Amino acid sequence: MEYKRMPIEKESPEESGYDTIRYNLAESSVTDIRFKELSISLDDLKIEYIPHRGIDSLRQNLVKDSSPLTKNDVLITNGAAGALFIINTSLLSKEDHLIVIRPNYATNIEVPLTIGCKISFIDLSFEKGWKISADEIESAITPQTKLISITTPHNPTGTIMTFQEIQDIISVAEKNNIHLLVDETYRNTCFPTTYPIVASKSKKVISVSSLSKAYGLPGLRIGWLITQDQELMDRFLAAKEMIYISNSALDEAVAAHFYENKEKFVTKINEKALANFYLLSQWLLQETRLECILPQGGVVCFPRFKEDLKIDTGKFYQVLRDEYKTMVGPGHWFAMSDSYMRLGFGWVDQDTFQQGLLNISAAITAAQQ
């Protein structure tokens, strides 16, 4: 495999330097939690190999009240990115075929590209409300199709599928004996997700999520994959063991403690995100040079410049960054035109977020032709 760095990683705030960005609207997660907020003592923790599948209590809590799922259906991974890497490299070879929606979180596309498999992109559109069509997916199936890959709540648009829409795609996967990967990283983030963990609905489904985006713990590097297919789980576990055996004992101990007490944090996290969502909604009503489908899940949205707006997009991003110390996620991070931008509304406080939005408006004015 020939690895190439992804633009979203090369140009990320952490690579650019957080101290160079005053108004960080590029972040796609909620505010990072400080260790002292967790009220945990690790003095008695033994720094040893831990169970390769992950700590039992964490795995059990992740699927609590999600019948028929049990801890045996859960594999703890090195973030959601680690889960996606394991799934794609376990299921796909150069001879295989993948169906994946676009735009998407970069790893869902770049890892299969690196593998060299054949790919059919289901291109979502603003005009159709970023809706995913089961009929389009089914029409793209070939005898070599091994995996269908979708994301809901969706990154970067913040749209969310209905349960019936998901069920329609599950039916397509089952009928054609194809695995369905559902990236659920933004599940219950800011807005409640009304359908159950998708892997609970079929043995053909693999669900993925993490503690990074929804809970503000990206530095722990804790994610997971869920599948009822135990033969497939053995393959995923073998892949994990070959790559890094198990997760860090420190990371999983902190993750298990947090997840047992997550309700202490979730209300505050979501209240902050909802307050910024209100500011976003009001700003979009006034900023008529942009158009956007308001998000219904997660803490991101994907507005675009209106088609009749004459603007130098390169100058817009340059002015925004250099003069206003403000950062958003340009469209090319998601294999889209830079007339689109991803805005994150879960990471910064209200005053910072509001000023960041005003800075976007000022940069648009500066870049208009």
Side-chain angles (χ1 to χ4, degrees), residues 137-186:
I137 288 174
E138 186 160 28
S139 67
I141 292 173
T142 76
Q144 289 74 43
T145 305
K146 290 290 182 65
L147 183 65
I148 298 166
S149 177
I150 65 173
T151 304
T152 181
H154 185 242
N155 184 3
T157 69
T159 54
I160 189 166
M161 300 178 70
T162 66
F163 181 64
Q164 185 58 57
E165 289 169 339
I166 294 170
Q167 189 60 57
D168 289 345
I169 297 176
I170 291 175
S171 296
V172 170
E174 290 178 334
K175 183 171 70 174
N176 292 277
N177 194 29
I178 298 168
H179 295 293
L180 171 62
L181 166 60
V182 184
D183 186 337
E184 299 190 66
T185 298
Y186 284 112

Coordinates of all heavy atoms in Angstrom, one line a residue, residues 137-186:
I137 N -27.6 3.1 -4.7 CA -26.6 2.2 -4.2 C -26.8 0.8 -4.8 O -25.8 0.2 -5.3 CB -26.7 2.0 -2.6 CG1 -26.2 3.3 -2.0 CG2 -26.0 0.8 -2.1 CD1 -26.4 3.4 -0.5
E138 N -28.1 0.3 -4.9 CA -28.3 -1.0 -5.5 C -27.9 -1.0 -7.0 O -27.4 -2.0 -7.4 CB -29.8 -1.3 -5.3 CG -30.1 -2.8 -5.8 CD -31.4 -3.3 -5.2 OE1 -32.3 -2.5 -4.9 OE2 -31.5 -4.5 -5.0
S139 N -28.1 0.1 -7.7 CA -27.8 0.1 -9.1 C -26.3 0.1 -9.3 O -25.8 -0.3 -10.4 CB -28.4 1.3 -9.8 OG -27.8 2.5 -9.3
A140 N -25.5 0.4 -8.3 CA -24.0 0.4 -8.4 C -23.4 -0.9 -8.1 O -22.2 -1.1 -8.3 CB -23.4 1.5 -7.5
I141 N -24.2 -1.9 -7.6 CA -23.6 -3.2 -7.2 C -23.1 -4.0 -8.4 O -23.8 -4.1 -9.4 CB -24.7 -4.0 -6.4 CG1 -25.0 -3.3 -5.1 CG2 -24.2 -5.4 -6.2 CD1 -26.1 -3.9 -4.3
T142 N -22.0 -4.6 -8.2 CA -21.4 -5.5 -9.2 C -21.1 -6.9 -8.5 O -21.2 -7.0 -7.3 CB -20.1 -5.0 -9.7 OG1 -19.0 -5.2 -8.8 CG2 -20.2 -3.5 -10.1
P143 N -20.8 -7.9 -9.3 CA -20.5 -9.2 -8.6 C -19.3 -9.1 -7.7 O -19.1 -10.0 -6.8 CB -20.1 -10.1 -9.8 CG -20.9 -9.5 -11.0 CD -20.9 -8.0 -10.7
Q144 N -18.4 -8.1 -7.8 CA -17.2 -7.9 -7.0 C -17.5 -7.0 -5.7 O -16.6 -6.8 -4.9 CB -16.1 -7.3 -7.8 CG -15.5 -8.3 -8.8 CD -16.4 -8.4 -10.0 OE1 -17.0 -7.5 -10.5 NE2 -16.5 -9.7 -10.5
T145 N -18.7 -6.5 -5.6 CA -19.0 -5.6 -4.5 C -18.9 -6.4 -3.1 O -19.6 -7.3 -2.9 CB -20.3 -4.9 -4.6 OG1 -20.4 -4.3 -5.9 CG2 -20.6 -3.9 -3.5
K146 N -18.0 -5.9 -2.3 CA -17.9 -6.5 -0.9 C -18.4 -5.6 0.2 O -18.7 -6.1 1.3 CB -16.4 -6.8 -0.7 CG -15.8 -7.9 -1.5 CD -16.4 -9.2 -1.1 CE -15.7 -10.4 -1.9 NZ -14.3 -10.5 -1.7
L147 N -18.5 -4.3 -0.1 CA -18.8 -3.4 1.0 C -19.5 -2.2 0.5 O -19.2 -1.6 -0.5 CB -17.5 -2.9 1.7 CG -17.6 -2.0 3.0 CD1 -18.3 -2.8 4.1 CD2 -16.2 -1.6 3.4
I148 N -20.6 -1.7 1.3 CA -21.2 -0.5 1.1 C -20.9 0.4 2.3 O -21.0 -0.1 3.5 CB -22.8 -0.7 1.0 CG1 -23.1 -1.5 -0.2 CG2 -23.5 0.7 1.0 CD1 -24.6 -2.0 -0.1
S149 N -20.5 1.6 2.1 CA -20.1 2.5 3.2 C -20.9 3.8 3.2 O -20.9 4.6 2.3 CB -18.6 2.8 3.0 OG -18.1 3.7 4.0
I150 N -21.6 4.0 4.4 CA -22.4 5.2 4.5 C -22.0 5.9 5.9 O -21.4 5.2 6.8 CB -23.9 4.9 4.5 CG1 -24.4 4.1 5.6 CG2 -24.3 4.3 3.1 CD1 -25.9 3.9 5.7
T151 N -22.5 7.1 6.1 CA -22.2 7.9 7.3 C -23.5 8.5 7.7 O -24.1 9.3 6.9 CB -21.1 8.9 7.1 OG1 -20.0 8.3 6.6 CG2 -20.8 9.6 8.3
T152 N -23.9 8.3 8.9 CA -25.1 9.0 9.5 C -25.1 9.0 11.0 O -24.8 8.0 11.6 CB -26.4 8.4 9.0 OG1 -27.6 9.1 9.5 CG2 -26.6 6.9 9.4
P153 N -25.2 10.2 11.6 CA -25.3 11.5 11.1 C -24.1 11.8 10.2 O -23.0 11.3 10.5 CB -25.3 12.4 12.3 CG -25.9 11.5 13.4 CD -25.3 10.2 13.1
H154 N -24.3 12.6 9.2 CA -23.3 12.7 8.1 C -22.3 13.8 8.3 O -22.6 14.9 8.8 CB -24.1 13.0 6.8 CG -23.2 13.1 5.6 ND1 -23.0 14.2 4.8 CD2 -22.4 12.1 5.0 CE1 -22.2 13.9 3.8 NE2 -21.8 12.7 3.9
N155 N -21.0 13.4 8.0 CA -19.9 14.4 8.0 C -19.5 14.6 6.6 O -19.2 13.6 5.9 CB -18.8 13.8 8.8 CG -17.6 14.7 9.0 OD1 -17.6 15.8 8.5 ND2 -16.5 14.2 9.6
P156 N -19.6 15.8 6.0 CA -19.5 17.1 6.7 C -20.9 17.8 6.7 O -20.8 19.0 7.2 CB -18.5 17.8 5.8 CG -18.8 17.3 4.4 CD -19.2 15.9 4.6
T157 N -22.0 17.3 6.3 CA -23.2 18.1 6.2 C -24.1 18.2 7.4 O -24.9 19.1 7.5 CB -24.1 17.5 5.0 OG1 -24.6 16.3 5.4 CG2 -23.3 17.4 3.7
G158 N -23.9 17.2 8.3 CA -24.8 17.3 9.5 C -26.2 16.7 9.3 O -27.0 16.8 10.2
T159 N -26.5 16.2 8.1 CA -27.8 15.6 7.8 C -27.8 14.2 8.4 O -26.8 13.6 8.8 CB -28.1 15.5 6.3 OG1 -27.0 14.8 5.7 CG2 -28.2 16.9 5.7
I160 N -29.0 13.7 8.6 CA -29.2 12.4 9.3 C -30.3 11.6 8.5 O -31.3 12.2 8.0 CB -29.6 12.6 10.7 CG1 -29.5 11.2 11.5 CG2 -30.9 13.3 10.9 CD1 -29.6 11.4 13.0
M161 N -30.1 10.3 8.4 CA -31.0 9.5 7.7 C -32.2 9.1 8.6 O -32.0 9.0 9.8 CB -30.3 8.2 7.2 CG -29.2 8.5 6.2 SD -28.3 6.9 5.7 CE -29.6 6.2 4.7
T162 N -33.3 8.8 8.0 CA -34.4 8.3 8.8 C -34.1 6.8 9.0 O -33.4 6.2 8.2 CB -35.8 8.5 8.1 OG1 -35.8 7.7 6.9 CG2 -36.0 9.9 7.8
F163 N -34.8 6.2 10.0 CA -34.6 4.7 10.2 C -35.1 3.9 8.9 O -34.5 2.9 8.6 CB -35.4 4.3 11.4 CG -35.2 2.8 11.7 CD1 -33.9 2.3 12.0 CD2 -36.2 1.9 11.6 CE1 -33.7 0.9 12.2 CE2 -36.0 0.5 11.8 CZ -34.8 0.1 12.1
Q164 N -36.2 4.4 8.3 CA -36.7 3.7 7.1 C -35.6 3.8 6.0 O -35.4 2.8 5.3 CB -38.0 4.3 6.6 CG -38.6 3.5 5.5 CD -38.8 2.1 5.8 OE1 -39.5 1.7 6.8 NE2 -38.3 1.1 5.0
E165 N -35.0 4.9 5.8 CA -33.9 5.0 4.8 C -32.8 4.1 5.1 O -32.2 3.5 4.2 CB -33.4 6.5 4.7 CG -34.5 7.4 4.1 CD -34.1 8.9 4.3 OE1 -33.3 9.2 5.2 OE2 -34.6 9.7 3.5
I166 N -32.4 4.0 6.3 CA -31.3 3.0 6.7 C -31.8 1.6 6.5 O -31.0 0.8 5.9 CB -31.0 3.2 8.2 CG1 -30.3 4.6 8.4 CG2 -30.0 2.1 8.7 CD1 -30.2 5.0 9.9
Q167 N -33.0 1.3 6.9 CA -33.5 -0.1 6.7 C -33.6 -0.4 5.2 O -33.3 -1.6 4.9 CB -35.0 -0.2 7.3 CG -35.5 -1.6 7.3 CD -34.6 -2.5 8.2 OE1 -34.4 -2.2 9.4 NE2 -34.2 -3.6 7.6
D168 N -33.9 0.5 4.3 CA -33.9 0.2 2.9 C -32.5 -0.2 2.4 O -32.4 -1.1 1.6 CB -34.3 1.5 2.1 CG -35.8 1.8 2.3 OD1 -36.6 0.9 2.8 OD2 -36.2 2.9 2.0
I169 N -31.5 0.5 2.9 CA -30.1 0.1 2.5 C -29.7 -1.2 3.1 O -29.0 -2.0 2.5 CB -29.1 1.2 2.9 CG1 -29.5 2.5 2.1 CG2 -27.7 0.8 2.6 CD1 -28.7 3.7 2.5
I170 N -30.1 -1.5 4.4 CA -29.8 -2.8 5.0 C -30.5 -3.9 4.1 O -29.8 -4.9 3.9 CB -30.4 -2.8 6.4 CG1 -29.6 -1.9 7.4 CG2 -30.4 -4.3 7.0 CD1 -30.2 -1.8 8.8
S171 N -31.7 -3.7 3.7 CA -32.3 -4.7 2.8 C -31.5 -4.9 1.5 O -31.4 -6.1 1.1 CB -33.7 -4.2 2.5 OG -34.5 -4.1 3.6
V172 N -31.0 -3.9 0.9 CA -30.1 -4.0 -0.2 C -28.9 -4.9 0.1 O -28.5 -5.8 -0.7 CB -29.7 -2.6 -0.8 CG1 -28.7 -2.8 -1.9 CG2 -30.9 -1.9 -1.4
A173 N -28.3 -4.6 1.2 CA -27.1 -5.3 1.6 C -27.4 -6.8 1.9 O -26.7 -7.7 1.4 CB -26.5 -4.7 2.9
E174 N -28.5 -7.0 2.6 CA -28.8 -8.4 2.9 C -29.2 -9.2 1.6 O -28.8 -10.4 1.4 CB -30.0 -8.4 3.9 CG -29.6 -8.0 5.3 CD -30.8 -8.0 6.2 OE1 -32.0 -7.8 5.7 OE2 -30.6 -8.1 7.4
K175 N -30.0 -8.6 0.7 CA -30.4 -9.3 -0.5 C -29.2 -9.6 -1.4 O -29.2 -10.7 -2.0 CB -31.3 -8.3 -1.3 CG -31.9 -9.0 -2.5 CD -33.0 -8.1 -3.2 CE -32.4 -6.8 -3.7 NZ -33.5 -6.1 -4.5
N176 N -28.2 -8.8 -1.3 CA -27.0 -9.0 -2.2 C -25.8 -9.6 -1.4 O -24.7 -9.7 -2.0 CB -26.6 -7.7 -2.9 CG -27.6 -7.3 -3.9 OD1 -27.6 -7.7 -5.0 ND2 -28.5 -6.3 -3.4
N177 N -26.0 -10.0 -0.2 CA -25.0 -10.6 0.7 C -23.7 -9.7 0.7 O -22.6 -10.2 0.4 CB -24.6 -12.0 0.1 CG -23.8 -12.8 1.2 OD1 -23.9 -12.6 2.4 ND2 -22.9 -13.7 0.7
I178 N -23.9 -8.4 1.0 CA -22.8 -7.5 1.1 C -22.8 -6.8 2.5 O -23.8 -6.6 3.0 CB -23.0 -6.4 0.0 CG1 -23.0 -6.9 -1.4 CG2 -22.0 -5.3 0.1 CD1 -23.5 -6.0 -2.5
H179 N -21.6 -6.6 3.0 CA -21.5 -5.9 4.3 C -21.8 -4.4 4.1 O -21.5 -3.8 3.1 CB -20.1 -6.1 4.9 CG -19.8 -7.5 5.2 ND1 -20.4 -8.2 6.2 CD2 -18.9 -8.4 4.6 CE1 -19.9 -9.5 6.2 NE2 -19.0 -9.6 5.3
L180 N -22.4 -3.9 5.2 CA -22.8 -2.5 5.2 C -22.0 -1.8 6.4 O -22.3 -2.2 7.5 CB -24.3 -2.3 5.4 CG -24.8 -0.9 5.6 CD1 -24.4 0.1 4.4 CD2 -26.3 -0.9 5.9
L181 N -21.2 -0.9 6.1 CA -20.4 -0.1 7.1 C -21.2 1.2 7.4 O -21.5 1.9 6.4 CB -19.0 0.2 6.6 CG -18.2 1.3 7.4 CD1 -18.1 0.9 8.8 CD2 -16.9 1.5 6.7
V182 N -21.6 1.4 8.6 CA -22.3 2.6 9.0 C -21.4 3.4 10.0 O -21.2 2.9 11.1 CB -23.7 2.3 9.6 CG1 -24.4 3.6 9.9 CG2 -24.5 1.5 8.7
D183 N -20.9 4.5 9.6 CA -20.1 5.4 10.5 C -21.1 6.2 11.3 O -21.7 7.1 10.8 CB -19.2 6.3 9.6 CG -18.2 7.1 10.4 OD1 -18.5 7.4 11.6 OD2 -17.2 7.5 9.9
E184 N -21.2 5.9 12.6 CA -22.1 6.6 13.5 C -21.4 7.5 14.5 O -21.9 7.7 15.6 CB -22.9 5.5 14.2 CG -23.8 4.6 13.3 CD -24.8 3.8 14.1 OE1 -25.7 4.3 14.7 OE2 -24.6 2.5 14.1
T185 N -20.3 8.0 14.1 CA -19.4 8.8 15.0 C -20.2 9.9 15.7 O -19.9 10.3 16.8 CB -18.2 9.4 14.2 OG1 -17.4 8.3 13.7 CG2 -17.4 10.2 15.1
Y186 N -21.2 10.5 15.0 CA -21.9 11.7 15.6 C -23.2 11.3 16.2 O -24.0 12.1 16.5 CB -22.2 12.7 14.5 CG -21.0 13.5 14.1 CD1 -20.4 13.4 12.8 CD2 -20.4 14.4 15.0 CE1 -19.3 14.2 12.5 CE2 -19.3 15.2 14.7 CZ -18.7 15.1 13.4 OH -17.6 15.8 13.1

